[in-house]
Amino acid sequence: MYDAVFKGVFCKEENKDLLKYLLEKCLNKNIEILEVKPPEILKKNIYIKNKTLDVLVKAENKIINIEVNSDHYNGLHIRNAGYIFSKYDEDVKIGEDYTKMNEHIQINFTKGLSKKYPLVGIYKLRDKETNLSFIDNLTIYEYNIDRICREENEYKFIKMLNANKEELDRICEGDKYMEKFKEEVTKINEDPLFKDFLSPEEDIKKLEKTLINNAIEKGKKEGILEGQKEEKIEIAKNMLNKNMDINDISEITGLTKKEIENLK
């Protein structure tokens, strides 16, 4: 469930059969992979944030975006939707005929979803009352990793993504593609470059925590300094009441002459 490890397994040219297997299992249809495309989404202008997809696949008349979400948080679905809508927007501009556009599919593997979410959510733009499609070429699949791993179901090919070594031995036995996945993910886990790998999500959390702690510390320091300055102002006021010289007051308190003049 680390995106770099996921890419390390499924985006290798020699593992295209594994990617095909995973996509066909997820979508329940035959998939002919043409290419694994560069994941960077084109920027419309310099003010738009860069977006990098996890895995982007061109398959016949389909553009398939796979997102590996190691944790669910408020706003994740909006972020994921932004990715697929961006690719959809690119396709609208490139195509000569709206009716000949590619089908756009996003597959989300998401940990941390609550029980209210289904094992597999299939989301389309439809009217609530009539069930009529607004567009019929955009679908989001979301696999609820926690529920799938916890409950009895047919999604062994999903359970393997979140399994430890012992579970992999049990889950993958007898399926040649899942056995190959186990071999590939074992190689990566034994690779020194990946062994102590910090995922982008973990890095972001650490960065956010660091920034928050820094802000708290800064606030404490500023509070102390503010309190010290208020104390100096009170001392300066008392000195002014005793008609002391402004130069002497400035030297004693550290306040500027202008600040002291304003206190008058």
Side-chain angles (χ1 to χ4, degrees):
M1 289 300 295
Y2 287 152
D3 54 1
V5 179
F6 187 92
K7 292 175 189 178
V9 173
F10 289 102
C11 292
K12 288 165 65 176
E13 183 63 29
E14 58 267 35
N15 288 345
K16 196 176 275 190
D17 58 335
L18 282 182
L19 185 58
K20 175 179 166 68
Y21 171 84
L22 183 67
L23 291 175
E24 289 184 341
K25 285 285 191 179
C26 287
L27 303 177
N28 197 28
K29 59 180 73 173
N30 292 328
I31 297 292
E32 192 59 46
I33 296 174
L34 301 180
E35 60 180 317
V36 180
K37 299 176 71 66
E40 186 73 23
I41 293 176
L42 298 177
K43 292 172 66 171
K44 305 295 185 296
N45 61 61
I46 62 171
Y47 300 106
I48 297 177
K49 176 182 177 292
N50 276 332
K51 298 186 182 76
T52 302
L53 310 171
D54 284 350
V55 180
L56 187 64
V57 178
K58 178 75 169 67
E60 299 165 305
N61 63 333
K62 297 176 178 60
I63 302 292
I64 305 170
N65 162 221
I66 303 173
E67 288 297 322
V68 180
N69 304 311
S70 61
D71 190 24
H72 179 258
Y73 55 85
N74 189 26
L76 174 70
H77 286 158
I78 295 172
R79 176 176 177 248
N80 286 165
Y83 292 165
I84 189 171
F85 293 154
S86 293
K87 296 309 296 181
Y88 192 92
D89 181 48
E90 285 179 22
D91 207 18
V92 168
K93 290 178 171 61
I94 293 170
E96 296 180 0
D97 183 339
Y98 290 127
T99 63
K100 292 181 172 61
M101 271 184 68
N102 289 299
E103 180 183 0
H104 285 257
I105 298 170
Q106 185 175 81
I107 300 173
N108 295 332
F109 299 118
T110 308
K111 290 185 70 175
L113 286 170
S114 67
K115 291 180 180 179
K116 70 179 181 181
Y117 287 95
L119 284 174
V120 184
I122 302 176
Y123 303 96
K124 290 176 173 284
L125 287 172
R126 295 184 183 277
D127 176 67
K128 186 177 180 180
E129 293 184 7
T130 64
N131 205 35
L132 285 172
S133 294
F134 186 74
I135 52 174
D136 59 4
N137 66 337
L138 190 151
T139 310
I140 297 174
Y141 294 77
E142 182 163 59
Y143 283 82
N144 188 333
I145 298 296
D146 297 83
R147 279 195 59 186
I148 287 172
C149 291
R150 189 171 54 245
E151 301 173 12
E152 287 294 326
N153 52 69
E154 71 272 26
Y155 300 113
K156 287 173 63 177
F157 65 98
I158 298 295
K159 290 183 179 183
M160 73 179 184
L161 300 178
N162 195 46
N164 61 34
K165 191 174 187 305
E166 290 72 25
E167 290 169 334
L168 271 178
D169 290 336
R170 177 176 51 81
I171 292 170
C172 297
E173 188 177 5
D175 185 300
K176 70 174 184 177
Y177 293 108
M178 290 169 66
E179 289 276 7
K180 183 177 179 181
F181 167 81
K182 183 181 75 171
E183 291 172 11
E184 290 295 318
V185 81
T186 300
K187 285 180 194 173
I188 287 179
N189 274 271
E190 292 173 352
D191 188 333
L193 292 174
F194 280 90
K195 202 158 189 178
D196 299 316
F197 180 74
L198 182 69
S199 76
E201 289 85 359
E202 288 176 319
D203 185 42
I204 288 169
K205 284 182 181 177
K206 284 180 182 286
L207 179 60
E208 286 176 347
K209 192 169 183 180
T210 301
L211 292 174
I212 289 168
N213 287 337
N214 286 345
I216 290 170
E217 287 301 315
K218 185 181 177 185
K220 286 179 180 177
K221 288 177 182 176
E222 288 177 351
I224 291 168
L225 292 174
E226 188 65 31
Q228 289 174 345
K229 187 163 186 178
E230 287 176 3
E231 187 177 343
K232 290 175 180 179
I233 288 170
E234 288 303 314
I235 293 170
K237 284 180 180 178
N238 290 331
M239 289 178 172
L240 283 171
N241 288 334
K242 293 179 181 179
N243 297 316
M244 288 182 65
D245 183 72
I246 287 179
N247 290 323
D248 291 337
I249 297 173
S250 177
E251 187 177 341
I252 292 168
T253 63
L255 298 175
T256 65
K257 292 178 183 179
K258 187 177 180 180
E259 287 175 322
I260 297 167
E261 287 284 354
N262 290 336
L263 291 177
K264 286 184 175 181

